[in-house]
Amino acid sequence: MAKKKIIVQKYGGTSVADPEKIKNVAKRVKECRDRGYDIVVVVSALGKTTDTLLRLAAEISGDPAERELDMLMSTGEQVSVALLAMALHELGEKAISFTGAQVGIMTDSSHTKARILDISTKRIREQFKKGRIVIVAGFQGTNLDQEITTLGRGGSDITAVALAKVLNAEVCEIYTDVKGVYTADPRMVRNARKLESISYDEMLEFASLGAQVMQARSIEVASKFNVPIHVRASFCGEQGTMICKEVKKMEDVLVRGVTVKKGEAKVTVCDVPDKPGEASRLFEYLAKAAINVDMIIQNVSRTGRTDISFTVPSSDLKRTQEVIKATNKKKTNAIEVKFDKDIAKLSIVGVGMRSHSGVAAKMFGALASEKINIDMISTSEIKISCVIKKKDAVGAVKALHRAFGLHKKK
Ligand code: ADP
Ligand code: ASP
Ligand code: MG
């Protein structure tokens, strides 16, 4: 007998927010089953459950142990898998739910941001043989000491992509509350356009720079193993966006999309002596404290002293302040340190930028005509990012979307 084809489907929190929506998901899974597929369904916690759990933890402790945070957060997905299994039973389907640990998702021990090391497919394949739909709790795994771990916020995406890889699935379908990946967040830009396809490289930049629709790490895995992803709506049957290897036609498009990331802060260390070793000392201390430094700018010095600015995630700001204080004691000799939390990182992304000039000029021109000031700039082959004031973020996204004509079909 020929082996059945496999599909992995993932449903995000908003798609399973209440019993009606869970029943709707069960119907969609059944439709896919009726088309003859073996199916693994990955589900996130109901609605905003993970946020609620984190708020509860914060009410108990200002600094909860990460192991216990994982114990707590993983409960969210355990609720949704069981409810979806029941909904499928109601439709007369054979289905069984599993936690990450039960299904053999092995991770390292970095609680709250663990990396998947291996997935055993034995249990899933046994269930397929019994004719069952397999439902897996997203966002969680277990380490070698059988401790529960979680895979970073938005981590159900990586659970789905990794399962699609190990099962050699035909496609990994990501069902969400928008119809695909758009030229900008459709909640921010009314005439944002749904993309038919986007390359892994572009999606990785897009996601890392704020486009929440996919978790960035999941795209790294998909790209490494060439897992085709279809991002689509859980509320209608329309074709969504394919995330795949770059195809030739894609290069014609200069800018694929515009995105903005909040939740970062700018740090300026003023009047650092402009001599070899000063920057190295500062960033060495920050690296040792595992602080993820992003954009870095050093001013030209006229007086033998200079300013160094960089961005860090806002959640790391307190630790950054502590590290700089400690470095100062160890003779960084900086005179003043400034912190600014009211910033946003605005970016345009597109593989076509590799071979075109003038894109940066157009971006800066569009911002200038809106009187939006640029604080910092960084570029790579396929993206340009600017730090601007947080209050200007929405206006800036709209201005760039207009300036690059992203609403028009290319
Ligand atoms: P889920 O709960 O299904 O995982 P998320 O909230 O993580 O859903 O991601 C979907 C959200 O991502 C959308 O509601 C949308 O507001 C946001 N988003 C941001 N940028 C984009 C973009 N470029 N295209 C589509 N959605 C985007
Ligand atoms: N429930 C987790 C979160 O909110 C994982 C996910 O939704 O993908 O981050
Ligand atoms: Mg998500």
Side-chain angles (χ1 to χ4, degrees):
M1 198 173 70
K3 251 188 173 171
K4 276 193 187 166
K5 285 188 181 169
I6 300 172
I7 277 195
V8 175
Q9 298 190 329
K10 175 253 166 178
Y11 292 87
T14 39
S15 304
V16 291
D18 57 46
E20 275 322 301
K21 288 191 170 152
I22 294 173
K23 287 181 196 172
N24 175 52
V25 167
K27 275 191 211 145
R28 296 207 69 139
V29 175
K30 180 176 162 38
E31 275 163 29
C32 183
R33 180 75 178 160
D34 292 343
R35 281 188 279 126
Y37 283 96
D38 271 332
I39 310 168
V40 173
V41 191
V42 175
V43 257
S44 298
L46 271 60
K48 302 240 175 270
T49 302
T50 312
D51 293 331
T52 309
L53 292 171
L54 285 173
R55 267 199 306 276
L56 265 176
E59 280 178 34
I60 303 280
S61 162
D63 187 19
E66 290 190 325
R67 177 192 182 277
E68 304 308 333
L69 277 177
D70 278 351
M71 286 293 282
L72 180 71
M73 285 194 288
S74 61
T75 61
E77 272 69 12
Q78 202 168 332
V79 171
S80 40
V81 283
L83 291 174
L84 180 59
M86 293 172 200
L88 279 160
H89 296 163
E90 284 299 310
L91 297 180
E93 291 294 323
K94 288 198 248 172
I96 182 163
S97 66
F98 290 116
T99 63
Q102 283 177 311
V103 92
I105 299 182
M106 299 299 307
T107 74
D108 64 15
S109 298
S110 340
H111 283 292
T112 75
K113 47 184 172 303
R115 294 195 165 257
I116 298 178
L117 300 175
D118 191 26
I119 301 182
S120 151
T121 56
K122 187 168 166 274
R123 199 138 187 207
I124 295 177
R125 294 204 189 271
E126 279 169 9
Q127 298 301 326
F128 281 169
K129 277 199 197 124
K130 291 181 184 161
R132 291 184 177 145
I133 296 166
V134 178
I135 307 166
V136 178
F139 175 56
Q140 56 176 261
T142 177
N143 71 7
L144 293 170
D145 300 321
Q146 274 127 51
E147 300 281 10
I148 293 175
T149 52
T150 63
L151 311 174
R153 294 306 305 270
S156 299
D157 292 339
I158 202 168
T159 306
V161 171
L163 280 166
K165 192 264 159 193
V166 293
L167 291 165
N168 204 9
E170 191 174 284
V171 63
C172 177
E173 294 184 323
I174 304 287
Y175 287 89
T176 184
D177 60 351
V178 285
K179 288 182 183 173
V181 181
Y182 284 68
T183 47
D185 186 340
R187 298 186 197 289
M188 208 180 274
V189 180
R190 204 179 27 84
N191 62 353
R193 189 172 44 84
K194 185 177 77 186
L195 297 165
E196 267 169 39
S197 60
I198 183 168
S199 68
Y200 292 127
D201 288 354
E202 288 171 317
M203 191 65 229
L204 180 57
E205 290 281 14
F206 218 26
S208 314
L209 295 168
Q212 189 197 337
V213 62
M214 287 296 302
Q215 188 212 30
R217 274 176 52 199
S218 71
I219 304 298
E220 272 172 9
V221 174
S223 168
K224 190 165 164 194
F225 299 107
N226 212 0
V227 179
I229 299 179
H230 184 183
V231 182
R232 57 193 308 187
S234 56
F235 53 86
C236 74
E238 229 174 85
Q239 180 78 9
T241 304
M242 287 306 301
I243 308 176
C244 52
K245 249 199 191 137
E246 201 174 308
V247 291
K248 200 133 193 71
K249 213 173 106 226
M250 284 178 170
E251 288 168 16
D252 299 341
V253 179
L254 206 58
V255 175
R256 183 83 49 197
V258 45
T259 180
V260 71
K261 190 172 184 183
K262 295 178 185 165
E264 290 192 24
K266 183 176 130 186
V267 181
T268 307
V269 188
C270 307
D271 286 320
V272 184
D274 192 11
K275 56 176 202 248
E278 289 294 334
S280 130
R281 180 165 29 241
L282 172 64
F283 290 110
E284 212 175 273
Y285 279 109
L286 292 168
K288 270 193 199 138
I291 292 167
N292 209 345
V293 174
D294 188 22
M295 287 177 162
I296 304 173
I297 286 184
Q298 178 171 333
N299 286 347
V300 179
S301 88
R302 290 208 182 82
T303 56
R305 288 187 169 261
T306 186
D307 295 348
I308 301 178
S309 295
F310 54 91
T311 58
V312 293
S314 297
S315 52
D316 282 344
L317 189 57
K318 199 163 151 246
R319 266 187 319 131
T320 306
Q321 286 167 322
E322 286 161 10
V323 169
I324 294 180
K325 220 166 156 190
T327 339
N328 259 343
K329 273 195 208 126
K330 290 173 183 128
K331 295 200 293 296
T332 294
N333 297 327
I335 288 175
E336 194 191 352
V337 186
K338 293 183 197 157
F339 302 96
D340 185 357
K341 278 173 90 170
D342 289 320
I343 61 157
K345 195 191 320 169
L346 171 75
S347 309
I348 52 174
V349 174
V351 283
M353 278 186 221
R354 277 184 193 139
S355 48
H356 284 78
S357 53
V359 185
K362 193 166 179 179
M363 178 178 187
F364 304 154
L367 294 176
S369 54
E370 296 290 317
K371 304 212 165 15
I372 294 170
N373 193 46
I374 301 171
D375 231 8
M376 299 168 97
I377 299 166
S378 83
T379 63
S380 80
E381 256 199 326
I382 64 163
K383 71 118 205 276
I384 304 172
S385 300
C386 298
V387 168
I388 58 171
K389 293 252 168 307
K390 205 182 259 176
K391 69 171 176 43
D392 292 332
V394 177
V397 170
K398 288 182 176 160
L400 295 186
H401 199 267
R402 226 178 8 252
F404 286 99
L406 296 179
H407 58 288
K408 287 185 234 145
K409 186 146 175 60
K410 300 283 182 314

